[in-house]
Structure formats: structure tokens, C-alpha cells
Amino acid sequence: SVSAAQSLTSFEIPDFACGRSSEVAPGWTVDAFNNALLAHDDIRQDGELLTAAVHLSQHGSNCTLAEAVAGLVVLPLMLGGSWDRQAPVLDSSTNLFHLSVPLVEIVRSGFPVFWAYSRLAGQHEAWSDPCVDLVEAYEQVFQPASVSICMELAELTPSHCPVAAATAAVCVALALTTAGDGKAFTETASEVVRHVCLAESILRPIYGAVNHGEESRFSNLVLTPWPLWRNLHELQQT
């Protein structure tokens, strides 16, 4: 039988003009590009992959997410390791919420966008989230986590901790994909989608605003100590 997770990743998204066999850079299909990225800790180890990523970032593509991933991967190569130089780009042209692509569609696409944010964040010190004192306690149950634990985390998360609340919602979605609790396939898939959309509804108004304050810069979200990007990537890979 088909799993709930497969329902999120097993079909093409024609609006992005980038089916899995489409060419996103000379000699590179979507699948080949995505798989090569995930196979390398440092894309400089693969000259052809690096050339493809640079080509995508400089010349663009009619495939929104391929261009976005390439831009994130080459960002530290183009601007160096300085976060002060990278952050303004993340706040503008590589802001996830400026892509006009819902989170659930990114999960479905298979493009390793969340992996790219997580990888970039791993090169810098985490942002001092005001709810950082909760992270260690939450980390103990996030991996592995059950649906009930994640639901409890979501209910207990203080209202002034939006990234924690969004991470808990993704935690529920991720746990649902492996729960095997006997729910009907369509019901489980619907719940997965609902919780990913819930996470987005919490984050987008804060970190997708054009005129943002210092605390709501998207670059801060990239450096969140919460396992948001990791959980989204794991959801995409299930």
C-alpha cells in the first residue's frame, strides 16, 4: 500500500515546470541534480555539480525550486563565510516565504530546500531564540517522536514561541508518516498536510514580511536552534 509520506512526494507539480525528468541545467535533470546535492557535504568535490549550481544561480530557471536550492548552495561560495554578508541575501532574494510556493508543495517537490537551509545554518552559530531554554528538553523527545508526544508539545508550547510551535506542528506531521496507527490512508495524508500548513501559517506572517523588524528577519529563522529545517527535510525524505 502507498504510505501517507509517499502521497506527498510521488507526483509531479506542473506549476513549477520542473518534472523529475526535466533538465534544470545543461546535462542535469531534476532527479540527478537533487540526488547529487544530497550525496555531497561540499559540492566543490564535484566540479560538474558545482558548475550546474552556479549556472542555475546566475542564469535562473523556469523551475523555481531548483533555482532556490542552487542559490542557497552557492551563497557561501559567492559571499564567503561572513554571516553579515549572507544574511541580507537570505532576508530578501532567498527568503523561503518570498518564493510564493507553499511549504507542503516544497515537501512534495522533492527539492532539498530544507536540507540547504539546514546545511547553511550548520556553518554558523545558532540565533539566540527567546525560547531557547526549551530547546534541549524538546530535543530529547523530537527524535524519535510519537504523534501523541508531538501533539502534547504543540499544546504546551507558549504562545510567544512561534518557531517552537511551528516545529512542534512539523513534528506531528513527521510522526504521522511513520505512526502506522491504522488510520485510513487519505485521513493520515490530510492530517500531515494540515500540520505542515499550520507550521507555515505560524511562520509566514512573521518571517515573510517585506518590512520586517530585527527580530523577524528570515535569516534569524535560518539559524534557529529548533530542529525545524531538519524535521522538514526528514519529512520530505520519508
Side-chain angles (χ1 to χ4, degrees), residues 82-105:
S82 170
W83 186 251
D84 289 340
R85 298 184 65 192
Q86 295 176 24
V89 180
L90 289 163
D91 292 333
S92 54
S93 61
T94 56
N95 183 324
L96 177 70
F97 299 121
H98 292 178
L99 295 178
S100 299
V101 182
L103 281 186
V104 71
E105 300 296 349

Side-chain angles (χ1 to χ4, degrees), residues 105-125:
E105 300 296 349
I106 298 177
V107 172
R108 287 167 165 159
S109 75
F111 278 98
V113 177
F114 311 120
W115 165 85
Y117 282 120
S118 180
R119 177 178 176 276
L120 188 61
Q123 301 172 21
H124 301 277
E125 184 177 351

Side-chain angles (χ1 to χ4, degrees), residues 18 20-21 27 49 52 67 69 81-82 90 99-100 104 111 145 196 215:
C18 53
R20 288 182 170 81
S21 60
L49 176 61
E67 185 176 345
V69 172
S82 170
L90 289 163
L99 295 178
S100 299
V104 71
F111 278 98
V196 174
E215 292 299 308

Side-chain angles (χ1 to χ4, degrees), residues 127 129-132 134-135 138 142 150 153-171 199 202-203 207 221 224-228 231:
W127 173 54
D129 186 292
C131 303
V132 70
L134 298 174
V135 174
Y138 276 39
F142 268 130
C150 292
L153 289 176
E155 292 170 1
L156 294 177
T157 299
S159 59
H160 64 276
C161 299
V163 184
T167 305
V170 175
C171 177
I202 295 169
L203 298 174
Y207 296 100
L221 182 62
T224 178
W226 294 95
L228 174 69
N231 283 1

Side-chain angles (χ1 to χ4, degrees), residues 142-143 169-179 192 231 234-235 238:
F142 268 130
Q143 304 295 333
V170 175
C171 177
V172 174
L174 181 59
L176 280 166
T177 63
T178 56
V192 171
N231 283 1
E234 288 182 7
L235 178 62
T238 54

